[in-house]
């Protein structure tokens, strides 16, 4: 009898029937590898809200596990129980950290399941309101004239703000002109920028739009290859490409991952829910207001997401090698 029961349990597990209980009463934790109140946190909180209904009213909570440019939170999810109740919302850092960290605690393509991409987010080059410059040209001239005195804030080695700062410094050939100051996320970095304790930052529009609008920070340029002509505020800022940094093009993306080994039926439920969430008009409206573009169905697939990250790893490794920096 006991043998028969064990066999039945194994057969049920293999057929995925246990997954019908997913999600259970337990909350689903969406890990954000940066401080609360920042750009990735903002996307995660909106997404958590949009996922609730398609997941049958599940309690989706955001947990901020900040540190080491996002790698601490990612490691936490890579090692979490693979039951669909711990997920990672991260961005381009999942790919850029491969080039930056020689001793990474996880393998992006092997230690995670891929659920789909979420959005694309442009970045903005912004400065403290105390800076004398008001245009990109004046700003770059100011940095050249004040080499060694300017501080560049970012969210740790491997963050998007770090990558952007690195690419920009290497494009203007001023790799050592600025002192870089790492924070646990660009939310605390923003507070310091507004207060003038740091001078410059490159951050996602999901964090900068309202601060630019209210005049708390100065904006100098956007990082996309084409101007953001569809956005009511950001359309007024030049691209770095237009400012002479030919070919400069950086857009941050976010994607949703689960630990490796999460059962296929659970992954299917999560991916189905993600697709519904990405069509939620409220979610789309909030994201567009912040300059982000929600991805289409093709990119919200496990295959599309994984292939994209694999290509980004190759691309960013070359960019980081050219900038000549490592995090460890
Ligand atoms: N997304 C930011 C970055 O990578 C960090 C954050 O969300 O706080 O720079």
């Amino acid at each position: 009898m006991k043998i028969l029961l064990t066999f039945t349990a194994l057969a049920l597990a293999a057929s995925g029937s246990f997954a019908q209980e997913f999600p259970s009463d337990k909350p689903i934790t969406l890990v954000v590898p940066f401080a609360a109140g920042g750009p990735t946190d903002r996307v995660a909180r909106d997404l958590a809200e949009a996922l609730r209904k398609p997941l049958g009213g599940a309690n989706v909570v955001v947990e901020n596990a900040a540190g080491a440019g996002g790698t601490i939170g990612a490691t936490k999810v890579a090692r979490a129980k693979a039951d669909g109740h711990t997920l990672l919302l991260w961005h381009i850092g999942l790919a850029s950290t491969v080039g930056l960290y020689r001793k990474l605690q996880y393998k992006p393509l092997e230690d995670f399941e891929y659920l789909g991409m979420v959005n694309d987010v442009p970045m903005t080059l912004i400065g403290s309101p105390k800076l004398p410059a008001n245009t990109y040209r004046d700003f770059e001239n100011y940095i050249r004239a004040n080499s060694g005195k300017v501080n560049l804030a970012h969210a740790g080695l491997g963050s998007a703000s770090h990558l952007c700062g690195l690419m920009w410094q290497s494009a203007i050939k001023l790799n050592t002109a600025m002192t870089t100051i790492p924070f646990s996320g660009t939310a605390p970095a923003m507070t310091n920028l507004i207060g003038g304790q740091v001078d410059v930052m490159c951050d996602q529009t999901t964090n900068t739009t309202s601060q630019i609008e209210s005049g708390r920070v100065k904006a100098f340029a956007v990082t996309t290859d084409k101007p953001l002509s569809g956005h009511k505020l950001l359309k007024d800022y030049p691209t770095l490409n237009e400012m002479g940094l030919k070919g400069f093009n950086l857009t941050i993306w976010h994607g949703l991952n689960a630990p490796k080994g999460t059962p296929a039926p659970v992954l299917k439920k999560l991916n189905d829910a993600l697709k519904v969430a990405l069509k939620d008009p409220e979610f789309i409206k909030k994201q567009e207001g912040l300059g982000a573009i929600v991805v289409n169905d093709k990119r919200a697939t496990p295959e599309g997401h994984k292939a994209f990250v694999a290509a980004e790893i190759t691309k960013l490794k070359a960019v980081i090698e050219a900038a000549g920096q490592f995090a460890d």
Side-chain angles (χ1 to χ4, degrees):
M1 184 63 179
K2 197 172 166 203
I3 292 171
L4 187 67
L5 273 176
T6 310
F7 179 76
T8 312
L10 282 173
L12 271 170
S15 74
S17 297
F18 284 160
Q20 278 165 12
E21 288 161 26
F22 176 82
S24 70
D25 297 344
K26 227 168 76 176
I28 295 176
T29 303
L30 194 51
V31 173
V32 170
F34 296 107
T40 305
D41 181 72
R42 179 81 193 248
V43 174
R45 285 178 200 272
D46 289 349
L47 183 67
E49 186 66 41
L51 280 171
R52 199 156 290 152
K53 204 162 150 204
L55 284 172
N59 185 14
V60 186
V61 296
V62 172
E63 182 187 315
N64 300 92
T71 58
I72 288 179
T75 305
K76 180 174 179 163
V77 176
R79 293 183 182 154
K81 193 168 174 199
D83 62 358
H85 284 271
T86 308
L87 306 174
L88 174 71
L89 183 85
W90 201 12
H91 58 32
I92 196 164
L94 182 62
S96 68
T97 48
V98 179
L100 271 169
Y101 285 78
R102 283 168 287 198
K103 289 186 216 104
L104 208 53
Q105 300 293 310
Y106 53 85
K107 294 194 177 72
L109 298 175
E110 289 167 35
D111 295 345
F112 295 100
E113 303 288 353
Y114 283 72
L115 289 161
M117 301 193 60
V118 174
N119 64 9
D120 289 314
V121 193
M123 302 193 87
T124 44
L125 195 59
I126 55 174
S128 142
K130 293 186 181 157
L131 285 180
N134 288 317
T135 64
Y136 177 78
R137 192 61 62 219
D138 289 351
F139 170 60
E140 199 184 302
N141 288 339
Y142 173 82
I143 302 226
R144 287 185 193 283
N146 290 277
S147 183
K149 292 191 208 138
V150 180
N151 292 324
L152 177 113
H154 61 71
L157 303 172
S159 64
S161 44
H162 172 240
L163 178 70
C164 184
L166 204 66
M167 286 171 67
W168 174 62
Q169 280 177 280
S170 111
I172 60 172
K173 303 193 174 49
L174 283 180
N175 280 1
T176 53
M178 283 164 267
T179 308
T180 54
I181 316 271
F183 289 85
S184 60
T186 45
M190 181 66 88
T191 309
N192 282 271
L193 191 73
I194 293 169
Q197 289 86 2
V198 290
D199 306 302
V200 183
M201 180 161 73
C202 182
D203 198 20
Q204 286 108 303
T205 58
T206 36
N207 197 31
T208 62
T209 309
S210 60
Q211 309 294 1
I212 298 169
E213 197 162 23
S214 65
R216 288 204 197 108
V217 295
K218 291 185 177 183
F220 300 114
V222 295
T223 63
T224 42
D225 56 343
K226 298 205 177 59
L228 299 173
S229 31
H231 194 273
K232 66 176 175 30
L233 173 78
L234 302 167
K235 67 175 178 4
D236 295 335
Y237 296 95
T239 64
L240 285 170
N241 191 36
E242 285 169 321
M243 290 291 98
L245 309 185
K246 289 292 164 219
F248 198 105
N249 181 16
L250 182 63
T251 298
I252 298 312
W253 42 266
H254 287 93
L256 193 63
N257 292 90
K260 187 80 191 168
T262 305
V266 172
L267 293 175
K268 169 138 184 24
K269 281 191 179 178
L270 285 165
N271 177 254
D272 287 348
L274 177 65
K275 283 192 177 137
V276 174
L278 299 185
K279 290 216 162 54
D280 180 333
E282 197 52 35
F283 179 70
I284 296 173
K285 199 170 135 210
K286 280 187 200 160
Q287 293 296 298
E288 284 181 355
L290 297 169
I293 314 284
V294 176
V295 301
N296 59 27
D297 263 359
K298 213 170 133 207
R299 291 175 69 204
T301 59
E303 309 74 43
H305 183 192
K306 193 167 183 179
F308 183 80
V309 173
E312 285 282 278
I313 289 174
T314 309
K315 189 177 103 188
L316 291 168
K317 246 186 171 172
V319 171
I320 290 157
E321 263 166 37
Q325 279 201 21
F326 292 104
D328 51 11

